[in-house]
Amino acid sequence: MRGNCLIAQSGGPTAVINNSLCGILKQALEGNGMGQIYGAKRGIYGMLNGDYLNLANLPRVTWDNLRFSPGAALGSWRYKLTVEEVSCIIEHMRSRDIRYFFYIGGNGSMQVAYMIEQQAKDMGYDLTVIGVPKTVDNDLTGTDHAPGFGSAAKFVATCVLDIAMDIRSLPGSKRVTIVETMGRNAGWLAASSALAGGCESIIPPLIYIPEDPFSTDQFLQDIHVQYGRYGSALAVVSEGIRDHTGRLLAEESIANDPVGRPQLGGVSTYLSQIVNAETGLQARTVLPSIWQRSGMLFSSKRDADEAFQAGKAAVQFARAGKTGVMVSLQRISHHPYKVSYEPVSLQEVAMRERLFPSEWYDRRTRSVDTPFIEYVTPLIQGEVFVPMNNGLPAYNTISFSM
């Protein structure tokens, strides 16, 4: 099948999402059959409105620079599609003879990709659809891990290590530090803070994840014990922690986001207020917020390289006649670390979540066990060397005026 190609980025960006874009571009431009290569402006927005960029016009230097630039270069947009709007997207594709569609995103995006693939079949339109995994939450099923997670994990661990070094400087200050990570339903990022605990001279973080019911009384007890031992306390909490009934902490003050989910963020502030009210200690909060997914200077080279290779694999799958699949990273071995890129059905991935394994979490010590450390350590290896200009990162992006 010959025709044109469309690429879109979706959901929250990561430090390495543009590497997948560049991998698709590089592979699509090599060989025949892909025709024009378009990018959808702002993801679903561009798909709904037929608003595309001709990516073949990009200067080669822009491609190279995108590999060390965070943020989604094509732009993204959070929006809940209807079936009628999916039909509209396909009609826009038909008008441009789009025959290959590559969608970079998380589990919600894989649901959209699956809807598009199924609706195209129902409409009798011959369309190859390939999903490319992306998420800092690492909650995608069907893959050992998702590009974006390794860099975010490295950032969180570095952040906690830096904070712990600062805490160590002022023992007995009656200070409690609460760091809040992303993680709606899965605690992979909060768990990654345990990597900082490998430095024996610092205070090990107490870790709280959404998969384990949160008890405020137990939390305060944990804080008292750690303060008594170290002269300070350090806790890392996922934004989505819940009590034993499944209720989000401070749920009454949480609004919904554009796709109808609770707009998380701020649980650390809620907990700090409790610490201040219930103990003689003083709590402060640290919210890395979107910096977790955009911190390019702390990104993992392995993560960037795997994101790039996942993009290339997507085009290889399409040329091999596969459709309705997502690129999956399958770990072949730990030592030496090695992965293969395999197709997994979009239907198996769409809107499903992979939670943090209960057997890797120690509820007694509020820490994680060795198997997780062995799992995550290879993903944070290597550094991305970002070119600098006048002392600041020389980032690049794509002009929408093309």
Side-chain angles (χ1 to χ4, degrees):
M1 177 177 67
R2 291 180 178 271
N4 297 323
C5 160
L6 178 66
I7 309 168
Q9 296 172 312
S10 182
T14 75
V16 300
I17 188 174
N18 292 327
N19 279 269
S20 292
L21 169 63
C22 292
I24 296 170
L25 280 169
K26 178 176 174 58
Q27 197 69 25
L29 288 169
E30 293 179 357
N32 299 317
M34 288 293 175
Q36 294 292 327
I37 303 173
Y38 296 106
K41 294 182 184 179
R42 295 179 61 198
I44 289 177
Y45 175 87
M47 292 156 59
L48 275 172
N49 294 279
D51 197 0
Y52 305 155
L53 297 164
N54 190 335
L55 297 179
N57 294 335
L58 281 177
R60 180 55 188 263
V61 66
T62 300
W63 298 0
D64 293 339
N65 290 351
L66 285 179
R67 290 206 60 187
F68 53 77
S69 298
L74 292 174
S76 183
W77 197 43
R78 296 190 189 277
Y79 183 79
K80 191 170 184 178
L81 285 171
T82 66
V83 174
E84 292 75 18
E85 288 170 328
V86 174
S87 298
C88 176
I89 287 171
I90 294 169
E91 290 301 336
H92 283 305
M93 291 183 179
R94 192 195 300 269
S95 70
R96 298 285 190 100
D97 193 29
I98 302 294
R99 298 292 179 170
Y100 302 93
F101 176 51
F102 301 100
Y103 204 30
I104 308 169
N107 43 28
S109 302
M110 295 306 113
Q111 170 68 16
V112 171
Y114 178 65
M115 290 169 63
I116 289 173
E117 196 251 350
Q118 292 297 301
Q119 188 68 11
K121 285 181 179 178
D122 291 345
M123 295 171 65
Y125 185 64
D126 196 1
L127 179 68
T128 292
V129 178
I130 308 290
V132 182
K134 172 258 11 163
T135 177
V136 298
D137 289 341
N138 202 39
D139 58 354
L140 269 168
T141 62
T143 184
D144 177 79
H145 57 279
F149 169 64
S151 292
K154 185 169 185 167
F155 176 90
V156 167
T158 302
C159 176
V160 171
L161 180 59
D162 286 350
I163 290 169
M165 293 295 288
D166 183 85
I167 290 173
R168 184 176 180 272
S169 304
L170 297 166
S173 61
K174 293 188 176 182
R175 180 70 74 181
V176 176
T177 302
I178 305 173
V179 182
E180 180 178 331
T181 71
M182 291 179 173
R184 176 173 298 276
N185 298 314
W188 296 93
L189 267 186
S192 300
S193 66
L195 290 165
C199 179
E200 295 182 0
S201 63
I202 70 166
I203 180 173
L206 297 166
I207 300 170
Y208 301 87
I209 60 176
E211 293 86 346
D212 187 67
F214 184 87
S215 164
T216 300
D217 290 340
Q218 184 62 54
F219 172 74
L220 292 174
Q221 183 178 332
D222 295 340
I223 293 296
H224 275 297
V225 170
Q226 193 179 63
Y227 179 80
R229 183 176 301 167
Y230 296 99
S232 295
L234 171 61
V236 179
V237 299
S238 290
E239 62 184 358
I241 54 175
R242 294 167 168 81
D243 64 20
H244 70 281
T245 68
R247 180 178 177 274
L248 290 164
L249 270 66
E251 189 174 74
E252 62 279 358
S253 63
I254 298 175
N256 287 341
D257 68 11
V259 294
R261 303 173 305 178
Q263 184 71 58
L264 302 182
V267 68
S268 57
T269 301
Y270 173 79
L271 290 175
S272 70
Q273 291 170 350
I274 292 176
V275 170
N276 290 338
E278 300 292 333
T279 73
L281 306 176
Q282 298 175 338
R284 62 181 173 186
T285 61
V286 179
L287 286 83
S289 189
I290 60 172
W291 200 6
Q292 296 162 82
R293 68 189 190 205
S294 65
M296 198 71 203
L297 290 176
F298 293 104
S299 60
S300 155
K301 184 177 187 302
R302 175 159 284 154
D303 191 31
D305 290 344
E306 288 185 342
F308 183 75
Q309 292 300 324
K312 292 181 66 176
V315 179
Q316 292 166 354
F317 290 168
R319 285 194 168 126
K322 300 185 185 303
T323 186
V325 299
M326 182 190 80
V327 177
S328 167
L329 284 72
Q330 297 297 323
R331 191 175 306 211
I332 298 172
S333 63
H334 286 285
H335 308 290
Y337 172 81
K338 188 176 182 181
V339 297
S340 64
Y341 299 85
E342 308 292 341
V344 59
S345 169
L346 284 172
Q347 187 175 14
E348 296 178 14
V349 177
M351 292 305 293
R352 299 185 182 182
E353 290 180 306
R354 182 177 65 158
L355 303 181
F356 190 83
S358 59
E359 64 270 22
W360 286 0
Y361 182 67
D362 189 332
R363 299 185 67 221
R364 182 181 59 85
T365 61
R366 303 297 168 188
S367 61
V368 298
D369 293 328
T370 301
F372 172 69
I373 300 299
E374 293 177 343
Y375 164 86
V376 71
T377 297
L379 309 184
I380 69 168
Q381 299 305 307
E383 288 68 52
V384 174
F385 293 99
V386 179
M388 307 295 283
N389 180 22
N390 197 28
L392 294 174
Y395 294 148
N396 208 338
T397 189
I398 296 173
S399 171
F400 280 10
S401 63
M402 290 170 50

